[in-house]
Every structure is written in structure tokens, then in C-alpha cells.
Amino acid sequence: MGSERRSWRDHPLVQLTLVRYREFYREPEAIFWVFLFPVLLTAGLGIAFRSRPPERTPVALVLRGAEDSALARRLAAADGLKLRLLSDSAAAQALRTGDVALVAAPGGGGIEYRYDPERPDARTARLLVDAAVQRAAGRTDPVATSERPVREAGARYVDFVVPGLLGMNLMGSGIWGIGFAVVDARRKHLLKRLVATPMSRAQYLASFVLSRLTFLILEVLVLLGFAVLAFGVPVRGSLLFLGAICLVSALTFASLGLLIAARPRTVEGVSGLMNVVMLPMWILSGVFFSSARFPDAVQPLIRALPLTAVIDALRATMLRGAGPGQLLPELAVIAIWLVGSFLLAMRLFRWR
Amino acid sequence: MPAAAPLVLRQLRKSYGDVIAVDGLDLDVRPGECFGLLGPNGAGKTTTIEICEGLTAPDSGEVEVLGRRWGRHDRELRELLGISLQETQFSEKLTVGETVGLFRSFYARGSDADRVIDLVQLGEKARARVGQLSGGQRQRLALACALVGDPELLFLDEPTTGLDPQSRRQLWELIERFRAGGRSILLTTHYMDEAERLCDRVAIVDHGRVIAEGTPRELIASLGAEHVLEFAVADGERLDADALAAVPGIGQPSRRDGTWRLQVAELHQAMPALLGELRRQGAQLAELRTHSATLEDVFVTLTGRQLRGE
Ligand SMILES: Nc1ncnc2c1ncn2[C@@H]1O[C@H](COP(=O)(O)OP(=O)(O)OP(=O)(O)O)[C@@H](O)[C@H]1O
Ligand SMILES: [Mg+2]
């Protein structure tokens, strides 16, 4: 009658983990939120804040006679300026509406600059126009200068935001993925039914963590791959170390997800708790802008949040090429959250 | 040495705050028998069976399952018990086959998952998602998950509640087949026909205590009457209960919601006598019914209440 265990596929941990996969990929919405949404967000932010060629400042020149055409040619050729030739009144109108930053009008034997000194671009325009005017009149510079433009990947907004999005995604999929599944099983009395079998409770919880680790690899590859290929976001630190940070972060957020899901009996209850936990981190942990902008008084609190530590570590590794030695405080914060929330979750977990 | 009794409960007590769910309950289930806990809503059936299943701790009392005790032999007991809870929703996104396969993986010894699925007649649905099953099919899935560990003792909490008559009969056949294998069953129900059909012995539970115990036949026989006679008289008419009770062959009459209820041993003698007495009192019959006595009548006689809240 009783048959013995056959293959590795019949091991309870394998079966439980398979359940996690099946429940995940049979829910198309989950696939969108976990994989596609972060990519769309990265694409949107990357395009919105892409670096543009330096802008040319519009200026107007009021022509009086034929002798000004040499000046006009000189100005038109100058870097950083967009020249318009206008009559006196049209120039005044353009200046008033902000269509040009500066009007240059010959007058009183020299040239008169009309501009609003409060406008930075107007002040820049004045310097550029004046240099062109003086050189057109034969000024020579006493010191020879040359220029070498430097445009560094890593200093753009998209470079800043991708580690933030990666951290946010690790947190969201860990907490959402585990929290809802656990509370749903509790609400349906499925947890109670499972502990009525010889199933090991540790293996049940381990199946969540294991499945998270597999999804993690896909999530990170999809988001990071997209950011590198589409926007050239740099990964300066070691890939191995970056992978290790992602792995430990995923474990930390999985534990936090288990802790959040340890008690609630309803989906509403657990969603509220998730929002309470995640909302402050979305705002404070520096996903979209640097957390250094918050007052000094709250900085210790912000540093202690797991998402801050994760994002800071990811950012430092990707953009600065930092290694484990430089990230000890961040790694310590992540480890403390990992161990602390896992142990607390075990103590508080409501099985029936 | 004879096999250990499947289940022994002594002076079991459990309360939730002010509510006493189980109030000094004793029970013995013998090897190979199907034992039924019969009682109305809130009688304490689920609390009792979940204490036996090791899911709820009693406040006091003794529980011995298959000669073992919770707290000492948990792991062993979990391997030996098959359990179906009153309300479990299995994951809707898994198929029947995957669900039974999952439960099979928890047991060191057990039956082949496909065989159990065929046994509960879900073979055609093995690849269907649980979310697409009917109520009866879900109950059979729950039974399959309870059976897949090849249990010595099966606990079924209201296995057929909410099902249509055909699905109920189908489940009864499956339960009978399991019992025919020589294993023991404890089930709860508030259908007296279910208890009469399936159970070798039943305990009638009310307010957390056993108020009667025996085979369904014994319990019905204890009424001292084979039949129950119910009648109503035209509106506003009053009857002399004492005179009614004096009619030969009729037990103590009781009245509920305008319907009189009598227990009768010999229907063919009691009926003419009753009609004669009613004529003598000048009462006009509005309604008259008889049925063979059931466990329901045992319950009504013991408590003065109906088993199932109408
Ligand atoms: N977890 C609980 N917390 C508080 N009260 C409870 C709890 N479980 C049961 N009770 C109460 O204990 C009493 C017995 O409940 P139980 O579920 O055992 O009854 P039952 O016989 O199974 O009823 P039903 O036929 O409706 O399933 C009820 O009054 C119920 O309200
Ligand atoms: Mg119940």
C-alpha cells in the first residue's frame, strides 16, 4: 500500500517552492508589476531626464548700418549663442517676453547691452556676446586657452535613479510577494490545514525565501540589463559584489515580508501594514532624490532604514565602484534587519 | 495486545472567554468504527475535533489519539491522521493533481496521488484548476488530501455541508469505502440522515457535552416509540393536553409553534384513538403528518429544540 518517496521532485521543499512559482506565473498582473513596471519606470525617468546638448542662449542684435554685418557674422558663429537680427522695437518686445535673453544695440559710439541681470542665462549671454564683440573689434587674448568637454556616465539622473529603483523593486516584490500569499493562506484556513500534516513549518517559510531568490535573479537581470543597454548606466564595482548585495537585500526584505505577514488575518490588514512600513522608505530612503536633503536631525533614523542601506550600497557599488570594505555600515544595517526580522517573524507567526 | 483505541477523550474542557465551547466531554472511538458527533450549530463539534487533531489546546482534560498524546508524539501522529477541516479553501491557481501531489509530499508513507484522485472520482479533473471545481468536487478534493497520507484515523468536520443530495451520496460512498478498509473515522455533522447512514455509533452533543450516545438504532429505540405523529388544529382552538396524554399508546405530547408532536409505538392503534379524542374535544384538524422516528426526534426529545435552526 504505502509507497516510499521516489525522486527529488517529491521532496516537500521542492513541492512547496513549485507552488510558489505556479501561484506567481499564473497571475499575469504580478508579472507586470514585478518585471515590466520597473523597466517602464526606468525608461520614463531616463527619457524625461536625459542629458541634452548644451542649450544655446537666444540673443538679438539691432542692426543700424552695413558696418554691423561683420559683427553679426561674428556673433552668429559664436559658441552658445543663437542670434536673431531684429529691429529696435521688435528686439525690445522679444526681451520683454523672454524670447531673447539679451539685446545688443549699437549706440553712443559703442554697443549697449540690454538684459535682466537677475537671469543667469542673460548674464552668460552678456559674457559670450561681449567676448565676440571685443574679438570682432580686434582684441587678442593674452593667454592661449583650449577646451576639452567631459561628459561622464554616472553623473546623470538616470544613473542616480536606477540603483534606487532596483532597491525599491527588491523591497516591493519581497514584501508584497510574501505578505499577500501568507495572509491569503491564513484567511483561507490553508495554513491551518497545512500544519495539520507532517509538513515542516521551516520548509514552508523557506519555500517563500527560495522562490524569492529565483525571482530576484530575473528581476535584477531585467532591470539592470535594460538600464545598461538602453541608457549606458555604469556598473563600476564588481558584479559579484553587486549580486551579493542584491541577494542579501532580497533575503532581508523577504524576512521583513514574513514579519509583516506574521499576524494579520485579512488582506486589508496586511495591506495597511505594508503601506505603513514601505511608504516612509519610499520617501526617505533616497529612491528618487538624495536622502541627504532631509534635515540632519532625522539622518540617523534614515540611515537605519533597510532600504536606505540597500540603495546606498547599490549606488556606491554601481557608480563609485565601492567594495565591501567601504560599505561596512550599510552592510551591517542590512544584516541586522535580516536577522532581527526573521527571528521576530518566527516568534510572532500565527499558524492558524 | 489489542490495537490502541483510536480515540479516548476524558473530561475535555475548552472555553473562549465567557463562551464554554466544550464542557466536560467524554468519548471513546473503537477501532474500525465510524463515529459521529451530531449536534446543532455552536454545540462544540469543531472545537472538539480540532482538539483531537492537535490544532487547539484544551483547557483541561485528557486526549489520547491512537495510544499517543499531543505534545509528546506530534510528528508521529501527524503521519497517522487524515484531516478535513470544516472550511479550507485550497489555492485556486493550482490544479487538483498539483494540490494532492503537494499533500502527498508531506508524508513519509502514503498512497499514490493519482490513485487517490481516481478514488475520489476526480480523475477527469486532475488537470483542472481548483478554482473551477464545484462545491462537491472541492469536498472530494479535501477528502483526497486527507486520504493521501494513508491515515489510520480520519477526522472529517462536516464533510457534506452545503452539498446537493447527489454529491452528498457520492461522498458517503467514498467514506464507506474507506471504513471498509478497517480504519476508523470521527466525523461531525448536523444531518441526522448522514449520521444514521454512515455512523456505527453517534454522540449527540449540545452545549459542549454529550447528552446521548449509542448506535443510531439504540438512540431511536430509547424514545420507546417507532413513530412520530405531528398535527395542528384550526386557528384559535385549544386542546386539553392532559386528556390527550391519557389516550392509550401515546407518549407525552409537546407543542411548538402551533404544532403538536406525539411519540407513538403502534401507529395503527394510536391513530384512531387520537382522532376519537380530538372529535370528543370538538377540535378541527388542520394538518396531520407521521414519520418514522429519527435521531432528530431523539434530539428534540432531549432538548426541546430542533437540531437544525430552520
Ligand atoms: N476561536 C474562537 N473564539 C471564540 N469563540 C469560539 C471560537 N471557536 C469557537 N467558538 C465558540 O465556541 C462555540 C462552539 O463552536 P464550534 O465551532 O465548536 O461549534 P460547532 O459545533 O462546530 O458548530 P457548527 O455546527 O456551526 O460548525 C461557539 O459558541 C463558538 O462561537
Ligand atoms: Mg463546526
Side-chain angles (χ1 to χ4, degrees), chain A residues 1-6 10-12 15-16 19 22-23 26-27 187-190 192-200 352, chain B residues 50 55 75 78-79 83 85 87-94 98 101-108 110 112 129 145-146 150:
Chain A
M1 183 101 187
S3 51
E4 296 306 310
R5 276 215 181 101
R6 293 134 301 188
D10 299 317
H11 191 279
Q15 283 286 321
L16 284 164
V19 168
R22 287 165 179 151
E23 287 186 340
R26 288 172 190 173
E27 179 105 69
R187 184 181 63 80
K188 290 170 159 176
H189 297 264
L190 187 55
K192 188 167 160 185
R193 179 64 188 88
L194 288 173
V195 296
T197 71
M199 180 194 78
S200 137
R352 43 197 77 136
Chain B
E50 287 188 355
L55 293 174
R75 171 99 214 152
R78 295 256 163 261
E79 291 279 350
I83 288 173
L85 300 176
E87 37 184 342
T88 300
Q89 292 166 268
F90 295 99
S91 178
E92 311 214 323
K93 292 185 212 103
L94 301 185
E98 288 162 355
L102 174 69
F103 277 82
R104 173 64 189 88
S105 77
F106 300 145
Y107 295 89
D112 186 53
R129 298 268 176 95
C145 292
D150 195 17

Side-chain angles (χ1 to χ4, degrees), chain B residues 45-46 86 157-158:
Chain B
K45 304 183 297 293
T46 296
Q86 185 167 349
D157 197 357
E158 303 202 7

